[in-house]
Each structure stands twice: as C-alpha cells, then as structure tokens.
Amino acid sequence: MLCPIIKYRNLFCHKWTSKFFSMSCAKNSVKKSSVIKPQNILNLHKRGLLEDIFPNASVSLPEQLLKQQCFYCGFDPTSDSLHIGNLMSLMLLLHCQRAGHNVIAVIGNATARIGDPSDQTKDRNSVSTDVLDKNTKGLINCITNIFETHEQEHYIHRGVKELPTIKILNNYDWYRDINVVDFFANAGRKFRMGPMLDKRFVKERLNSSEGLLLPEFLYQVYQAYDWLHLLQNYNCRFQFGGSDQLGNMNAGRYLIDRVTQQEVYGLLTPLITTHTGQKVGKTAGNAVWLDADKTSPFEFYQYFLRQRDADVEKFLKYFTFIELTNIKEIMQEHSRYPKRRNAQKILAKNVCKLVHGEEGLKSAERCTQVLFHGQLEQLENLTDQEIDATFKGMKIHHAVLEPTTTIYDIATKIKAIPDGPIGIEAINKGGVLVNGIAMQNSQQILLCDFHVLKNDLSLITVGKKNHHIVRWRVPDDMYQVSAK
C-alpha cells in the first residue's frame, strides 16, 4: 500500500542567494570544507518531486533520514544521451546530495540487453554490445557534466560544505562473472510465479498478439537483484523511480526482504508529460536531449522558454533549486504581467545553466537575441568559432554570392522554401526575411553591402521559427560592383 509523503515534517531546507537565478559560486577562502549534516528529504513532495513512498513508512523514517543514507536511480543506455524525462531523477539525486546523503546512478548496461517491458506494447529491439557500451559512455558523460556543473556553478556552499561524491556504476560489472545457474539457484528461488504474472504490464503483454519474451519477463528479477547488490555493497536503502517502475521496484523490495529482512523504500516520482498527457522520452519520439550535440543549448533553452503558463510553476519546482517562497513571488509577478513571460525566462536560464553551464547559457541567450529580438549586431560581431558555438545544432549553409544571386535562389538552395510557385508566393507575401527585413520580390538580387553582414553572414528566416544562417563566400569583384 502506498503511503502519502505529505504527513512528514519539513526537515529539509537549503539557503538561496539573492535574485531568482542561480549564480556562479566564487571560490571560498575557507581552506577546509566541512561535511554536510544529513537532512530529511521527504519534504521534496512540496516541490512535486515525490508522489508516494512504499511500503508504509515506519514512524522512525524521518529520524533515519537525519543520518546519512544512500539513494539510487537507474538509467537504461538505450540512447547515447539522457533527456529531460531523466532530468527529474537527476534533480532528485542532486537534492539528496545537497542534503548530505550518498547518491548512486546505475547505468543498466546489463539489463538493457534484456529490455524493460514496462509500458511497452511489443518486444524491444535487441541492441548490440558495441552500441550499449557507446551509449553507456554517453550517459556517464551526461551525468558527470551535470553534477560537475551543479557543484561549480549552482552549489552556494562550495568550499564551505563538501558535497558527497556521486557514484556512477555499470550493472554489467556485477553480472559479468555471475554464473546463470548460480544466479537462478539463489536469487531466482526467492521469487514466486504468481506475483510475477500478476504485474499489470505482464498481463497486458501476455494477452496481446505480441506476447512476452522470457528475458523481458525476467527483467524484474534482474532489476530486483540490482537493488540487493547495492544494499549489500553500498548500504543503499532507497530507490527513486517513476510510477511506471513500481512493479520492478516492488520486486526489489520483495527480494531484499526474503534475503536480508532489511527495511528499504521505493520513492515514486512523477512522469514528465506533454500538455496532451504523452510521456516525454525517446520512445515517444519527443525527447529534448541533455547532450548539446543532440539538442543545442539554444534549442534546449527555447524548449523551456516556450512552456505554457499552466506548466511553468511546476517546472520551476521540478528543475531549479529556487526556494518555494521565491517561486511563489515569481508566479505572483508573472500573473500580473504574463506577456513578459518572466517566469519562463527564469526557468530557461536556470535549467540551461545546470545542463550546459555558463557558456551554454550565454550561447543560447546570444542566439535568442539574434533570432527573436533583431539584435543583428551581435551576429555581425561574432567570430567564426563563436558562430559555430552559438548556432550549434542549427542549419548553417555555405554559398557563393554571385552578382545575379536572388533571394529565391538562396532560399531554395538551402531548402528554406519549396521550388516553384509556392516558394515564389511565400517571398512575394513577405514570408521570407533577410537579416530581419521582409523580402517582397522573389527576384530581389542580394547585395553584399546590404543583405550580407560584415562578417559575410546572412540570417534567413521563414515564418517565426525556421531560421537559417548562410555563410557567404563573396568574390572580390562583388565588392567592386557594390562600391560603384
């Protein structure tokens, strides 16, 4: 039975700096940092980060959390990057770390070879060992970057109170030497078929035309063993997971009870969904990646900047460390001046800085100023290296500016508009802009001293969101023609 978290006292808190935007931490003059006194993390339900706890918590749990505990969350390497759906779990690990507890991120290199059937309607595709190893490295980089960025730029007690070090483990490391006969003769004998067959996703798959593969059916046994291994080797008594992982988490609690009789807890977190209720993630095809090579800092920043008014308060609680009282003030101001979208700006700044660091945030803001606020002087003054960094992940095209090049020529060349009458009409109706100026004639010849910036760039925009950077190679005689 699930036990609501809201009855616990607010025993966890951390101080916040001035403003509502996390600032970089200056190096503290204190030479020796002190250890953080462990704090109760159950009040994270006030941020919406925790929904339920199971099994029924003992009355001593809040007191237990005033001693250093260990929390873990698992990540499947089915891609080479995490996405914002995973960011919820990372935020929980960061909050626990800030509260003085040990935290572990487990990369499921072994269990990914089996495939988690939870919320899947058909068999998962098999992934090769090479791909899994590559993906595992990608996830390790993602997690490491975020925790390092947090410590360097978000943690206000840096140099005063030392954060516990996160452990990033690969579960293949403890499976590689286990004999399959020994595994099922020991861990396997602790499970009964009845409860395993009673799982919702198992019933659904068994009753479907696809059926359920044996390895996927046994996934819950392996994930249960992961928790047992972490308990025995790292004294890890707490696991985070979304509601879709309840069955697997319960299997782990069941195995631990049969083997050690120790008290462990599963902490359920909300799932990140779109406004239509669709789960955000790679399977749904709507992932916003944490790796800058897959989702640029600009695109990442824009995702949070475009959040609906109905969701922005929730996301401020989920994905920032801003105090709840300050979030309340932010939303009060936002309700008075909603068109300013100040709450979305604070959200985008905080999350982008956490994931991509100060430089990534600056890049996203530069790009935003150029594309949406007409500050072309910023684009004009960027070096080639800065352009590549600022517009990383966007469409940058190379072209030669001939004396007869028209807006139609370049717009069709870079596939900003379709060939033929539709493209011509789009230009003639003012739907194509060069450096923020609407073109009214598809046969308008581009001039190097008017349509091309001094660093040989042009920003071509179609509609509101379709932006293209053209890097021109301008023949010398073009400058001579233009001067005349």
Side-chain angles (χ1 to χ4, degrees):
M1 179 178 179
L2 299 181
C3 175
I5 291 179
I6 57 174
K7 66 181 181 180
Y8 293 108
R9 296 172 55 203
N10 182 4
L11 297 174
F12 170 64
C13 66
H14 56 269
K15 294 181 180 179
W16 184 249
T17 53
S18 61
K19 306 291 185 182
F20 302 125
F21 175 44
S22 52
M23 305 300 291
S24 298
C25 304
K27 290 185 178 179
N28 197 288
S29 58
V30 179
K31 292 183 178 180
K32 188 176 181 180
S33 57
S34 61
V35 176
I36 301 171
K37 184 179 179 180
Q39 300 166 34
N40 181 9
I41 55 86
L42 291 179
N43 75 309
L44 289 175
H45 76 87
K46 293 183 178 181
R47 303 188 74 94
L49 289 169
L50 295 179
E51 288 189 332
D52 282 299
I53 182 171
F54 78 96
N56 288 334
S58 67
V59 293
S60 66
L61 181 58
E63 184 178 349
Q64 294 176 41
L65 288 167
L66 297 179
K67 300 176 183 178
Q68 190 174 60
Q69 300 292 340
C70 182
F71 297 78
Y72 99 94
C73 187
F75 303 91
D76 271 350
T78 49
S79 176
D80 58 357
S81 172
L82 296 175
H83 51 78
I84 61 165
N86 305 124
L87 189 56
M88 170 77 75
S89 299
L90 294 176
M91 290 300 296
L92 280 160
L93 294 180
L94 284 167
H95 276 292
C96 289
Q97 186 190 46
R98 291 161 71 102
H101 298 290
N102 293 319
V103 293
I104 298 175
V106 175
I107 311 298
N109 188 293
T111 41
R113 300 163 196 252
I114 299 168
D116 183 1
S118 302
D119 286 345
Q120 299 296 313
T121 58
K122 57 184 179 181
D123 301 337
R124 283 185 179 271
N125 294 328
S126 179
V127 183
S128 71
T129 299
D130 289 343
V131 170
L132 285 174
D133 290 344
K134 173 179 173 292
N135 290 350
T136 296
K137 292 178 181 177
L139 299 200
I140 291 173
N141 288 336
C142 261
I143 297 169
T144 300
N145 289 341
I146 287 177
F147 273 78
E148 288 181 351
T149 300
H150 164 261
E151 183 172 3
Q152 294 167 8
E153 302 186 17
H154 289 255
Y155 181 55
I156 63 175
H157 299 304
R158 185 184 179 200
V160 179
K161 294 183 179 180
E162 183 179 355
L163 288 169
T165 302
I166 182 175
K167 293 181 176 65
I168 304 177
L169 307 178
N170 179 350
N171 70 353
Y172 190 68
D173 289 339
W174 56 81
Y175 283 112
R176 69 172 77 243
D177 296 324
I178 295 180
N179 181 287
V180 65
V181 175
D182 292 338
F183 179 79
F184 283 105
N186 294 293
R189 288 182 63 84
K190 306 299 181 183
F191 288 87
R192 295 287 179 180
M193 290 294 294
M196 295 176 68
L197 289 168
D198 200 42
K199 297 284 194 303
R200 176 187 57 80
F201 66 85
V202 172
K203 287 181 177 179
E204 290 177 353
R205 287 286 297 276
L206 289 176
N207 292 329
S208 70
S209 58
E210 291 287 337
L212 180 64
L213 291 172
L214 176 62
E216 292 190 0
F217 175 69
L218 295 174
Y219 181 92
Q220 55 189 303
V221 176
Y222 285 95
Q223 187 161 342
Y225 184 80
D226 283 349
W227 197 353
L228 175 63
H229 174 87
L230 295 174
L231 175 68
Q232 292 176 331
N233 290 273
Y234 301 96
N235 194 30
C236 185
R237 298 175 51 226
F238 298 87
Q239 179 184 177
F240 290 119
S243 57
D244 58 337
Q245 291 299 308
L246 177 59
N248 294 323
M249 295 168 72
N250 195 39
R253 187 196 64 80
Y254 176 82
L255 176 61
I256 288 169
D257 182 64
R258 296 289 302 275
V259 174
T260 71
Q261 291 81 51
Q262 285 187 252
E263 188 178 55
V264 296
Y265 293 97
L267 302 173
L268 295 180
T269 65
L271 299 177
I272 304 300
T273 60
T274 65
H275 68 276
T276 61
Q278 184 183 30
K279 179 180 175 181
V280 172
K282 53 185 176 291
T283 303
N286 56 4
V288 177
W289 302 100
L290 305 187
D291 187 330
D293 290 331
K294 295 172 77 73
T295 298
S296 70
F298 165 72
E299 294 170 308
F300 189 85
Y301 180 90
Q302 286 296 316
Y303 173 82
F304 287 97
L305 195 62
R306 294 195 300 267
Q307 286 303 310
R308 301 183 310 151
D309 288 348
D311 294 327
V312 66
E313 181 177 6
K314 176 177 66 177
F315 279 15
L316 282 167
K317 293 176 180 178
Y318 285 174
F319 299 125
T320 79
F321 298 103
I322 301 174
E323 291 284 2
L324 293 178
T325 53
N326 290 345
I327 291 177
K328 183 178 179 180
E329 293 174 16
I330 292 170
M331 295 311 301
Q332 287 173 344
E333 180 186 3
H334 180 75
S335 65
R336 289 194 295 269
Y337 310 104
K339 291 185 179 180
R340 295 180 182 177
R341 298 183 66 78
N342 189 51
Q344 282 89 345
K345 292 175 184 176
I346 292 171
L347 172 67
K349 283 185 176 183
N350 274 268
V351 187
C352 189
K353 185 177 180 182
L354 175 64
V355 174
H356 296 296
E358 182 69 30
E359 287 306 311
L361 173 59
K362 289 180 179 179
S363 168
E365 289 180 322
R366 284 197 304 266
C367 194
T368 297
Q369 291 300 319
V370 169
L371 297 181
F372 299 112
H373 300 289
Q375 295 188 10
L376 293 176
E377 66 276 7
Q378 291 211 30
L379 175 61
E380 196 167 42
N381 292 326
L382 294 178
T383 66
D384 288 349
Q385 185 177 5
E386 288 175 326
I387 290 167
D388 290 337
T390 299
F391 296 98
K392 190 174 188 178
M394 288 186 60
K395 301 160 187 168
I396 301 180
H397 309 273
H398 296 263
V400 176
L401 184 63
E402 301 290 355
T404 57
T405 300
T406 67
I407 179 58
Y408 175 79
D409 293 335
I410 187 59
T412 52
K413 176 181 174 64
I414 65 177
K415 297 184 175 10
I417 60 172
D419 289 322
I422 295 178
I424 292 172
E425 183 180 9
I427 297 173
N428 293 341
K429 286 187 175 182
V432 178
L433 291 75
V434 177
N435 299 336
I437 301 173
M439 300 290 101
Q440 303 290 339
N441 182 358
S442 63
Q443 296 308 307
Q444 170 69 55
I445 293 176
L446 299 181
L447 305 175
C448 62
D449 60 348
F450 184 73
H451 299 107
V452 180
L453 301 175
K454 66 181 182 181
N455 55 357
D456 295 337
L457 295 181
S458 293
L459 172 62
I460 298 179
T461 304
V462 179
K464 292 183 178 180
K465 297 180 180 179
N466 193 4
H467 305 282
H468 302 260
I469 297 293
V470 178
R471 181 177 274 147
W472 298 101
R473 184 168 66 82
V474 183
D476 293 339
D477 58 352
M478 277 288 289
Y479 285 108
Q480 295 171 4
V481 171
S482 177
K484 293 177 182 180

